[in-house]
Amino acid sequence: MCDDCAVRKVGLFALLGALAVVPGAAGAAAQLPESSPAFAPPVQLLPGPDLPGTPSPSLRSAGPQAQSSGKISRRTLHRKLKDLARQAPGASSFYVYDIGASKKRVLFDRKEGQRRKLASNTKLFTTATALHRLGAKGRIETKAVSKGKLTGNGKLKGSLYLVGGGDPSLGSGGLNELAREVRRAGIKRIGGDLVADDSVFDRKRGVPDSGYGPSPYLAPLSGLVYGGSTYSGDPAQATVNAFRSVLKKKGVKISGKSRVGRLPGKLRGRKPTGSYLSPTIASLAAATNKPSNNFYAEMLLKRLWAQGSRKGTTSGGTKAVERFARQNGSGINALDGSGLTAPNSASAREVVRLLVAMRRHRDAARAYYRSLAIAGKDGTLDGRMEGTVAAGRCRGKTGTISGVSTLSGYCNAGHGKKVAFSLLMNGVGSYDSARNIQDRMVVEIARFRP
């Protein structure tokens, strides 16, 4: 069973629909235009139950109870959720929490403390940690660094290094900007090699689920990637080859080879010849959560551990995620950043505690909330709960792997108040049935008014 927005092995992997939040935009997350540096051709998707635009069984046919838009009380909500929970697999965990209440905040719970497989709800923890550690307004730098002297006629007597920072969104726009800056620096000819430095990350291309190799659900990871990575054996080599072509179009000739290497230590502090900054971490979080992009999640996870001379690794990133969860009264057993590895687990209560804690993170709260798919409107919730009171009122993160279906997020409860919920279903036999129960639960939550 594929993850809810896993990608198929194709020639060029790209960011899914180029979804990203534009900081300061109101309402639904804005989509980056095709001319944006973060834009790349849309990926091809594996068939799966949670793909954007693939609706689960419509709530419109589930009876008037699911469609009702009338307000309900705490007692009525508890009764309705209890009835729906009885229809879910026994290996499920539910927790619904009124964030704004002064007392009696727990609206519903069932096996709320028992850890369950998260699937892509793991991304909630990854992006929360990234927004905190890297900053919602933070950006990831890719730079060009010159080695050698530049002559009066524009020849660089040495090599030019393309140094990756782990930006998952680097595309043609970014390479073009770097090439323009190289040309503006006066470089017309490179006497040495064009070298790709991907040493910000280790060389493991995947996650534990695939033995740390690439899989049909995850393009190869690298500290330097282009167009959302490729299925070549070495993404950094593919990137430097693309950069060579761009430089040539800008009128920069290269005498040497295009290869992968490491920038000499003595040049690490040198002012770059050219620099390109990724979209904000807020934008990358949205490009991760709304379409459930595995590649973005794993790249952000590695970036969490890349500090100074320390390489970004999956195992290091999971340590950072687990530490952040503990610091916020939550918890997770994290093995990767996307949820592809089945043992990623947390309880519904732990997920909700993370969601509640993120409301208190002043700089990250808004970006985190906006990174989630809007019920009935976009991302992996496009087509789900459409036409119900939950549409436009609730945001969430879906998750699907074999035997697992999850949905966690927030619903507006009026007067600026929010309800956080986590619906973790394991032992799932029918994904349509599981999603239908989840959707009906969220609709009832959306009807609640304190």
Side-chain angles (χ1 to χ4, degrees):
M1 190 66 201
C2 71
D3 188 78
D4 38 326
C5 222
V7 285
R8 184 185 293 273
K9 186 186 295 185
V10 291
L12 274 179
F13 260 58
L15 83 91
L16 184 56
L19 276 171
V21 169
V22 176
Q31 190 174 17
L32 291 176
E34 292 192 0
S35 59
S36 164
F39 178 83
V43 299
Q44 185 178 359
L45 299 171
L46 280 172
D50 284 335
L51 299 181
T54 306
S56 57
S58 176
L59 287 178
R60 296 177 182 177
S61 62
Q65 184 181 40
Q67 298 181 57
S68 176
S69 59
K71 301 175 183 178
I72 59 174
S73 65
R74 170 190 294 269
R75 178 176 294 183
T76 301
L77 174 63
H78 187 277
R79 174 176 57 82
K80 288 181 176 292
L81 293 181
K82 183 178 180 180
D83 290 343
L84 288 166
R86 286 173 176 162
Q87 303 173 34
S92 298
S93 180
F94 301 102
Y95 200 58
V96 184
Y97 186 89
D98 185 350
I99 298 176
S102 58
K103 57 181 179 179
K104 295 184 179 180
R105 294 179 175 176
V106 179
L107 299 173
F108 180 73
D109 53 12
R110 176 189 171 189
K111 300 181 181 179
E112 72 283 358
Q114 297 183 20
R115 285 191 168 179
R116 304 301 186 204
K117 296 175 181 178
L118 289 170
S120 278
N121 271 206
T122 302
K123 294 181 177 77
L124 289 169
F125 290 84
T126 304
T127 53
T129 310
L131 286 166
H132 171 70
R133 288 176 66 103
L134 305 178
K137 296 180 181 179
R139 298 172 187 267
I140 300 172
E141 183 183 30
T142 304
K143 57 187 179 180
V145 180
S146 302
K147 178 186 177 182
K149 295 182 179 181
L150 182 63
T151 65
N153 61 0
K155 180 178 180 180
L156 176 65
K157 290 187 173 182
S159 298
L160 183 70
Y161 289 78
L162 180 63
V163 184
D167 177 8
S169 69
L170 181 66
S172 58
L175 293 187
N176 269 286
E177 184 172 321
L178 282 166
R180 282 194 295 269
E181 292 196 10
V182 168
R183 190 66 182 82
R184 281 199 294 264
I187 298 176
K188 299 177 182 178
R189 187 180 188 89
I190 298 171
D193 294 339
L194 187 61
V195 187
D197 184 342
D198 64 348
S199 62
V200 66
F201 290 172
D202 65 7
R203 290 294 183 88
K204 292 182 178 179
R205 304 302 187 198
V207 296
D209 175 68
S210 58
Y212 291 100
S215 78
Y217 310 125
L218 181 66
L221 307 172
S222 171
L224 180 62
V225 297
Y226 167 71
S229 188
T230 72
Y231 261 87
S232 66
D234 193 334
Q237 183 65 57
T239 305
V240 77
N241 291 344
F243 190 43
R244 186 182 187 116
S245 297
V246 174
L247 284 169
K248 183 178 179 180
K249 291 178 181 178
K250 299 295 181 185
V252 179
K253 298 180 180 179
I254 303 168
S255 300
K257 300 178 180 179
S258 298
R259 60 182 177 86
V260 177
R262 184 163 184 171
L263 182 70
K266 63 182 180 181
L267 298 180
R268 294 266 160 193
R270 175 176 290 187
K271 182 180 178 181
T273 304
S275 176
Y276 171 74
L277 297 177
S278 73
T280 63
I281 299 300
S283 295
L284 297 180
T288 301
N289 284 336
K290 279 185 178 286
S292 200
N293 191 308
N294 297 324
F295 178 71
Y296 271 44
E298 299 301 344
M299 291 285 286
L300 286 175
L301 185 80
K302 287 197 173 193
R303 192 64 186 82
L304 291 174
W305 199 244
Q307 300 289 334
S309 60
R310 189 173 68 190
K311 291 180 182 292
T313 66
T314 297
S315 60
T318 58
K319 290 177 184 177
V321 166
E322 290 179 343
R323 184 181 302 128
F324 178 74
R326 288 193 301 269
Q327 291 171 346
N328 286 273
S330 180
I332 181 176
N333 175 38
L335 280 81
D336 63 26
S338 63
L340 282 172
T341 305
N344 287 291
S345 61
S347 68
R349 183 168 58 201
E350 287 173 323
V351 175
V352 166
R353 284 180 174 176
L354 175 75
L355 294 171
V356 173
M358 288 305 291
R359 300 298 300 168
R360 299 191 294 266
H361 280 259
R362 184 174 179 180
D363 295 332
R366 190 174 188 178
Y368 189 65
Y369 179 72
R370 289 185 170 184
S371 76
L372 304 178
I374 305 172
K377 302 292 183 179
D378 66 10
T380 56
L381 289 179
D382 181 23
R384 289 182 63 171
M385 294 168 276
E386 187 177 4
T388 72
V389 68
R393 182 181 288 273
C394 301
R395 291 180 181 244
K397 181 72 204 73
T398 59
T400 309
I401 55 174
S402 182
V404 178
S405 181
T406 59
L407 177 61
S408 302
Y410 306 95
C411 283
N412 293 327
H415 306 292
K417 296 183 178 180
K418 285 186 170 53
V419 173
F421 64 89
S422 182
L423 317 174
L424 309 179
M425 297 184 182
N426 286 192
V428 172
S430 168
Y431 298 96
D432 284 347
S433 295
R435 291 194 307 279
N436 187 266
I437 293 169
Q438 292 163 7
D439 290 0
R440 295 180 71 179
M441 284 181 141
V442 173
V443 167
E444 300 301 348
I445 294 169
R447 296 174 63 202
F448 169 68
R449 297 294 180 273

